[in-house]
Each structure stands twice: as structure tokens, then as C-alpha cells.
Amino acid sequence: MEYHDTSEVLITTDQIEQMVEDVAAQINADYMPYQELIVIGILTGAYIFTADLTRHLNMAVNVDFMQVSSYVGTESTGVLKIRKELTVDVAGKDVLVVEDIIDTGRTMALLKDLLYERGAKSVKLCAAFDKPDRRVNDLKADYVGLVIPDEFVVGYGLDLDGQYRNFRDVRIVR
Ligand code: IMP
Ligand code: MG
């Protein structure tokens, strides 16, 4: 296992807790109480945020997970690779995608298109963290926890080669 300097805390555990409550309040205001909402957590990074966020929502939440990534092939928009498929049918449903961090924006743009192709009634995007400086398209998440600078960060679900997801705060990798 490689050693990385992760001593610099960017976001504390308290700030994360406040962020989750703020995002949940915005989402609760936008949907009807007890309205059916399909929440799709994006594995693996969003597993913690999905668990924390959904426990603050007051809709009739149906949680599912999908594992996707994007790669840049011949098209600059990228290609979506599905590693784990959904189990629910999103046709006619209101969908909220929960992501750990938005970087280039390719993954979320492609996934949003796919969910609309599958007949979702509405698709909204929620990310715990956003690095807008890195964006290659015009993607904007509907709900963003915290905007962060262009640094590689780990913790609260975010990894470097599978490590550090279990940190309770978010740290910069040097
Ligand atoms: P993109 O927006 O399509 O470029 O991809 C976003 C994905 O890249 C996230 O779901 C993460 O898996 C990964 N990622 C981007 N920035 C970071 C970071 O700072 N730390 C850990 N993973 C990151
Ligand atoms: Mg990742």
C-alpha cells in the first residue's frame, strides 16, 4: 500500500454534518412530503453521503445504487460505462442522483441523459462536493453541498485507489 500525505483537513466532520442538513432541507422544500422519489446513489464514493442524506429526507424514498464511470473515447463527451445496473425501473418516476463529487461533469451529464432515455419523469442531480474549475461541459448539479478548489481530496466516501473512504472528514492529498 502506497503512503500519501493526507494531513491537511479541507472540510471538518462538523462542516459535513451541516452540509448534509442544508442539502436535505433544500430537497425537502422542492418535493411534496411523502412524494415517491427514487434516489440513486452512485457507487462507490456516494455510499456514505447517500446514507446520511436519505435519513434527513421526508419523501417516500426508494434507494437504489448504480456503479458508473465515464471514459473519453473518440467522442469528447465521453462514454458511460455501467459496472452495476439499477434494480428499479425509473420510467415515469422522479429521480434524484446522489454523487460524491462532480469533477469534469462527464459522468453526471451522460447518466442524466440515460435516465431520461429510460423514461424518468424528472432527473435531478445532487453532489456532496463540486469542483467547478474542472468542468468540461455546462453541467450544473441541482443541489451542491460544498464547492471546493481544484485539489484531489479523500474521505467521506472519496478514495484514492480504494483507500481513505472511511475518513470522517475530507482531506487534501499532497
Ligand atoms: P467526472 O465528474 O465525470 O469527472 O467524475 C467524477 C468522479 O471522479 C467522482 O465520482 C469520483 O469518483 C472521481 N473524483 C473526482 N475528483 C475526485 C477527488 O478529488 N477525489 C476522489 N475522487 C474524485
Ligand atoms: Mg471514485
Side-chain angles (χ1 to χ4, degrees):
M1 233 164 43
E2 214 185 321
Y3 171 79
H4 306 100
D5 179 359
T6 57
S7 56
E8 189 178 341
V9 175
L10 180 68
I11 307 165
T12 66
T13 306
D14 285 351
Q15 286 174 306
I16 291 171
E17 275 177 25
Q18 189 60 56
M19 174 278 282
V20 172
E21 285 180 25
D22 291 347
V23 171
Q26 291 173 46
I27 297 169
N28 283 331
D30 287 354
Y31 296 87
M32 304 285 287
Y34 307 110
Q35 179 181 347
E36 185 183 8
L37 181 66
I38 309 287
V39 173
I40 302 178
I42 305 304
L43 297 173
T44 300
Y47 77 110
I48 297 176
F49 183 44
T50 305
D52 284 351
L53 182 71
T54 51
R55 284 179 291 174
H56 285 91
L57 297 182
N58 55 27
M59 285 73 66
V61 157
N62 183 344
V63 182
D64 199 1
F65 289 95
M66 201 176 182
Q67 191 163 27
V68 293
S69 55
S70 64
Y71 63 93
V72 183
T74 48
E75 296 167 72
S76 64
T77 51
V79 178
L80 192 71
K81 183 176 164 77
I82 301 176
R83 292 170 185 275
K84 184 209 168 281
E85 228 343 318
L86 284 174
T87 45
V88 295
D89 181 2
V90 298
K93 308 284 187 183
D94 293 306
V95 174
L96 178 71
V97 175
V98 177
E99 180 54 307
D100 51 0
I101 191 165
I102 304 179
D103 188 39
T104 64
R106 284 197 182 95
T107 313
M108 282 303 97
L110 292 164
L111 182 60
K112 193 172 183 176
D113 288 349
L114 177 72
L115 294 168
Y116 273 123
E117 275 168 35
R118 290 181 178 184
K121 182 162 75 181
S122 70
V123 180
K124 288 195 175 184
L125 306 178
C126 173
F129 310 110
D130 189 6
K131 292 198 279 198
D133 294 347
R134 299 259 307 159
R135 207 72 95 249
V136 298
N137 54 25
D138 60 2
L139 182 103
K140 281 193 177 61
D142 299 276
Y143 310 99
V144 171
L146 295 164
V147 172
I148 65 168
D150 180 10
E151 300 274 8
F152 196 86
V153 293
V154 294
Y156 197 63
L158 290 155
D159 74 306
L160 173 57
D161 296 336
Q163 284 187 74
Y164 313 119
R165 294 192 197 277
N166 53 312
F167 287 177
R168 295 168 63 90
D169 46 20
V170 170
R171 292 159 178 260
I172 294 175
V173 181
R174 297 286 182 207

